[in-house]
Amino acid sequence: MRKVMHKLFMGWQHEKEENWLNEMAAKGWNLVDTSLCRYTFEKSTPGEYQYRLELLEHGAKSQKSKEYIQFMEDTGAEHIATWFNGWAYFRKKVEDGPFELFSDIDSRVAHFKRIQKVLILALICELCAGIAQAFEYAATGMKFSLGIVVFAVVFAIVLVWGIVKIRKQLRRLKEERNIRE
């Protein structure tokens, strides 16, 4: 039996998304495919798998990412899907023991920095698009352009909020690293 669910998680909410996938697995719904806001689950034994997400260091189609995914599979993890040029979804059987993608604080910091970089690039693109549309609106008075400007501003605010959240996480991890040293 399959079930499709639609849910929106932003890039800085990957831990929340991971927790949700693990809650679904605990109820016997195992992720078999995903794309933007769309999750396909298959009914199975409750608590059989544990899920982890990672923004790959290189593009999804790069040789290094393919080698990394193969490495993960060699360790017993199963690669479920990769979308948006790098968000990789892995699962591993609970009976095989703990499943962590990041072995230390530095690897977690590197992961959060990759997410932050993507968010900053998206913010720059959004601001450029918004400014271009603002000039278009000023030149033509087209209401469609004004709508895009408003959307760009709102989305830019959301991205800034995400960047702030990531920076807080990075600060917390760095403080934790300092305490442990």
Side-chain angles (χ1 to χ4, degrees):
M1 172 183 218
R2 284 190 172 219
K3 165 165 75 170
V4 174
M5 295 182 73
H6 295 87
K7 199 162 173 104
L8 176 64
F9 292 99
M10 303 305 264
W12 58 90
Q13 295 178 312
H14 67 281
E15 291 171 331
K16 183 177 179 181
E17 181 178 8
E18 202 173 78
N19 290 337
W20 177 69
L21 291 172
N22 287 312
E23 287 170 11
M24 292 297 291
K27 296 174 185 174
W29 290 102
N30 291 316
L31 183 71
V32 293
D33 192 28
T34 187
S35 59
L36 179 63
C37 302
R38 186 177 191 275
Y39 300 85
T40 304
F41 295 93
E42 203 167 70
K43 190 69 175 157
S44 186
T45 306
E48 183 177 8
Y49 289 101
Q50 185 173 18
Y51 291 85
R52 296 285 178 241
L53 282 66
E54 180 176 6
L55 180 59
L56 300 173
E57 190 171 346
H58 307 281
K61 296 183 189 238
S62 76
Q63 186 60 34
K64 288 187 178 188
S65 289
K66 289 176 184 176
E67 289 169 3
Y68 176 74
I69 290 169
Q70 184 59 54
F71 166 76
M72 290 301 298
E73 289 179 339
D74 291 345
T75 66
E78 183 181 346
H79 176 244
I80 303 300
T82 303
W83 72 271
F84 192 62
N85 199 31
W87 275 106
Y89 291 71
F90 297 100
R91 73 180 180 187
K92 193 171 184 179
K93 289 194 177 259
V94 171
E95 67 188 30
D96 293 342
F99 179 35
E100 297 296 331
L101 294 177
F102 310 109
S103 58
D104 59 9
I105 291 176
D106 289 336
S107 61
R108 292 189 72 208
V109 165
H111 184 246
F112 277 97
K113 284 184 176 181
R114 286 194 300 271
I115 296 168
Q116 178 180 265
K117 181 181 174 183
V118 169
L119 293 175
I120 290 170
L121 289 172
L123 177 61
I124 291 168
C125 291
E126 196 61 36
L127 290 174
C128 289
I131 290 168
Q133 286 300 314
F135 281 120
E136 178 74 20
Y137 175 71
T140 65
M142 290 178 46
K143 290 183 181 180
F144 178 74
S145 293
L146 181 61
I148 293 175
V149 170
V150 170
F151 175 81
V153 168
V154 170
F155 194 59
I157 290 168
V158 170
L159 288 170
V160 167
W161 181 62
I163 292 166
V164 168
K165 300 279 279 181
I166 290 294
R167 286 184 185 246
K168 284 181 181 178
Q169 284 282 66
L170 282 167
R171 191 171 25 257
R172 184 187 59 78
L173 287 169
K174 289 175 183 177
E175 287 171 1
E176 184 178 334
R177 179 176 55 204
N178 291 338
I179 290 170
R180 290 185 181 188
E181 291 177 344

